[in-house]
Amino acid sequence: MAICIPVNLPDRSYNILIEKGSLANLGGEMSQLSLGKKVLLVSNPEIFEYYGQIAVNSLEKAGFVVFTHLIPAGENYKTLDAIAQVYDSALAHRLERSSTMVALGGGVIGDMTGFAAATWLRGVNFVQVPTTLLAMVDASIGGKTGVNHPQGKNLIGAFYQPKLVLIDPRVLKTLPVREFRAGMAEVIKYGVIWDAELFQQLEDSDNLASFSQIDGELLQTIITKSCQAKADVVSKDEKEAGLRAILNYGHTIAHGIESLTGYTSVNHGEAVAMGMVAAGAIAVKLGMWTAGENQRQTDLIEKAALETRMPPLNADEMVNALTADKKVKDGQVRFILPTAIGQVTISDRVTPTLVREVLSPTESGQ
């Protein structure tokens, strides 16, 4: 059964469609959106090998003229140089403003394709077809696009909404276990910041560590509830003027981890899991939530087979990295901190000293 979740925005509303097997109907869904005939499908070689031809065949059957551009997999390719190559493809195939860039892949492909679409000819159409759990529940929704700067994650980018997000849960069967677990970090995030019932459902589940072990009905619930939470927040605050900042729970320190490890040894979801553990510990130290609630969060993260311990990083370097984060306001790093399961707040009470205590508890005598 198809599930349709609207993202209601003043100028660029769109739907999130969730249905098993829906990739084969990508062309049919796009044909209802009054788009031009030219499509540039952007993916990476691994994803394209599995699902590229299904997408191309569906688009061509619906009358679209399809070109493809492949970007090597990995966060380290999320650069302006790689975007320039997308532009080269767009130029070579004479894309017009009515043309569409389709992102077939995970969060990296989605972010890069969206940024290219936002900036080519001052904006062409854009469709998200996420193939990882993390992209399905988070990165494909809300219009955040961009690439990394050597000094920080996603510092170059734009808010640019897709015309459609099409989610086919069946593609997760080929997702590496590590990537599935990375997506579960974002799912757990929604339970902490927005949906206490989802958090409880995750706690009550038998297994969260892999696609093959998770209950199919629970997986559908996870994707639907996470997408609904993201849609609710984005509909209320499209460009992160206030409420939308709560979606960054765990991400402040996570982005620092990714930057300091060179975007190689720790993936985004793993960094978010560590960032949530750190944010939870900070909240306990500030008396904002209880040690018991914090332990429930840690236990759930470990249930998804995610690492809760930080890699060996210099605390001072981390503090410096945090000051380059997009969420800095008036020179002050703002943290999203939990106050209860299902509730968080935005705080500027987190001092560099407190960050160092949490990141290096033995050095600070804790």
Side-chain angles (χ1 to χ4, degrees):
M1 183 182 70
I3 296 170
C4 180
I5 299 172
V7 181
N8 297 311
L9 299 169
D11 300 317
R12 291 180 65 94
S13 295
Y14 56 96
N15 291 326
I16 305 165
L17 298 181
I18 307 169
E19 184 178 16
K20 293 177 181 177
S22 58
L23 179 61
N25 193 37
L26 172 62
E29 294 294 346
M30 285 178 54
S31 66
Q32 301 177 42
L33 299 176
S34 301
L35 307 174
K37 290 302 180 183
K38 287 187 177 181
V39 170
L40 180 63
L41 180 73
V42 182
S43 188
N44 68 42
E46 292 86 346
I47 294 300
F48 191 83
E49 184 176 355
Y50 281 121
Y51 302 112
Q53 206 55 54
I54 297 173
V56 170
N57 290 346
S58 178
L59 289 164
E60 290 181 340
K61 183 179 179 181
F64 292 100
V65 179
V66 186
F67 309 100
T68 60
H69 181 88
L70 302 185
I71 301 171
E75 187 85 26
N76 52 318
Y77 288 99
K78 195 175 177 182
T79 65
L80 286 173
D81 286 343
I83 290 292
Q85 293 175 35
V86 179
Y87 295 152
D88 289 344
S89 289
L91 181 61
H93 300 303
R94 297 294 188 264
L95 260 63
E96 305 163 358
R97 282 189 172 173
S98 63
S99 302
T100 306
M101 292 189 186
V102 175
L104 177 69
V108 171
I109 290 295
D111 282 3
M112 295 178 70
T113 307
F115 183 62
T119 49
W120 185 249
L121 302 180
R122 296 191 177 94
V124 298
N125 299 312
F126 169 45
V127 168
Q128 285 269 26
V129 186
T131 60
T132 67
L133 180 60
L134 190 151
M136 288 178 182
V137 302
D138 188 71
S140 67
I141 305 163
K144 279 190 175 181
T145 73
V147 295
N148 299 331
H149 185 276
Q151 299 302 313
K153 185 179 173 71
N154 292 333
L155 293 180
I156 306 162
F159 286 98
Y160 196 67
Q161 301 296 341
K163 293 288 187 180
L164 169 71
V165 178
L166 185 141
I167 296 175
D168 182 351
R170 286 182 180 172
V171 305
L172 294 177
K173 69 179 183 290
T174 56
L175 186 68
V177 170
R178 184 182 179 190
E179 294 298 326
F180 184 85
R181 293 170 180 171
M184 284 306 308
E186 295 283 0
V187 173
I188 293 168
K189 176 195 77 176
Y190 288 118
V192 176
I193 71 170
W194 195 256
D195 192 336
E197 182 181 5
L198 173 61
F199 190 96
Q200 186 66 59
Q201 288 176 294
L202 297 173
E203 283 188 312
D204 293 341
S205 65
D206 293 329
N207 196 302
L208 297 174
S210 72
F211 175 82
S212 62
Q213 293 175 294
I214 196 169
D215 176 76
E217 186 175 335
L218 176 62
L219 180 62
Q220 183 81 357
T221 298
I222 282 172
I223 295 173
T224 301
K225 283 198 165 191
S226 297
C227 288
Q228 187 67 65
K230 183 78 178 270
D232 287 346
V233 173
V234 170
S235 294
K236 291 179 171 66
D237 178 18
E238 180 183 3
K239 297 188 176 179
E240 206 167 297
L243 176 67
R244 184 168 176 169
I246 70 172
L247 296 172
N248 294 315
Y249 177 59
H251 286 57
T252 303
I253 285 178
H255 289 168
I257 294 171
E258 291 177 276
S259 178
L260 293 177
T261 56
Y263 305 108
T264 54
S265 60
V266 180
N267 68 33
H268 179 65
E270 292 165 344
V272 168
M274 297 171 190
M276 289 192 292
V277 171
I282 289 170
V284 170
K285 284 181 174 291
L286 291 174
M288 299 177 70
W289 78 337
T290 67
E293 289 169 309
N294 190 47
Q295 190 60 51
R296 286 178 66 192
Q297 174 183 256
T298 300
D299 290 345
L300 190 54
I301 291 170
E302 291 178 342
K303 187 175 189 177
L306 286 158
E307 181 60 68
T308 56
R309 295 168 298 177
M310 297 271 290
L313 298 172
N314 182 281
D316 289 329
E317 289 182 356
M318 175 62 77
V319 169
N320 289 335
L322 297 183
T323 63
D325 192 83
K326 301 182 301 300
K327 294 170 285 298
V328 172
K329 184 176 182 180
D330 297 329
Q332 181 68 45
V333 179
R334 296 183 300 161
F335 274 76
I336 314 304
L337 297 177
T339 56
I341 300 297
Q343 297 179 21
V344 290
T345 190
I346 303 170
S347 174
D348 58 4
R349 295 171 54 198
V350 182
T351 64
T353 298
L354 184 52
V355 172
R356 291 187 185 95
E357 287 180 5
V358 167
L359 298 184
S360 306
T362 54
E363 293 179 20
S364 59
Q366 302 300 310

